[in-house]
Amino acid sequence: MFSKREYEYVMEIAKEGSFSKAAQKLYISQPALSKFLTRTEEMYGVQLFERIGKKMIPTYAGKQYLEYAKQIV
């Protein structure tokens, strides 16, 4: 189970569409945010975002995760 902050990380990535913009808004480093997402995706065994260039687009699983995260936050 993740903390509220971790759900906010995924929601910010979706909102901003990039690691760098989301990391800046969250006041954490881009590599730390990238590692967090990789760890989260490995834990769930699904890809939460399509990486198209530098753009992050939620997958179907990502959209489901985001809906759950919104309810938690």
Side-chain angles (χ1 to χ4, degrees), residues 21-62:
K21 289 179 184 176
Q24 190 175 27
K25 293 257 177 123
L26 293 165
Y27 302 104
I28 64 171
S29 71
Q30 183 273 327
L33 186 58
S34 179
K35 286 179 185 178
F36 160 77
L37 183 61
T38 299
R39 199 172 50 242
T40 300
E41 289 177 330
E42 287 174 356
M43 184 177 78
Y44 286 113
V46 296
Q47 188 174 348
L48 298 176
F49 291 90
E50 288 281 335
R51 289 141 175 95
I52 302 172
K54 292 185 177 185
K55 188 81 173 153
M56 304 294 291
I57 300 171
T59 61
Y60 176 78

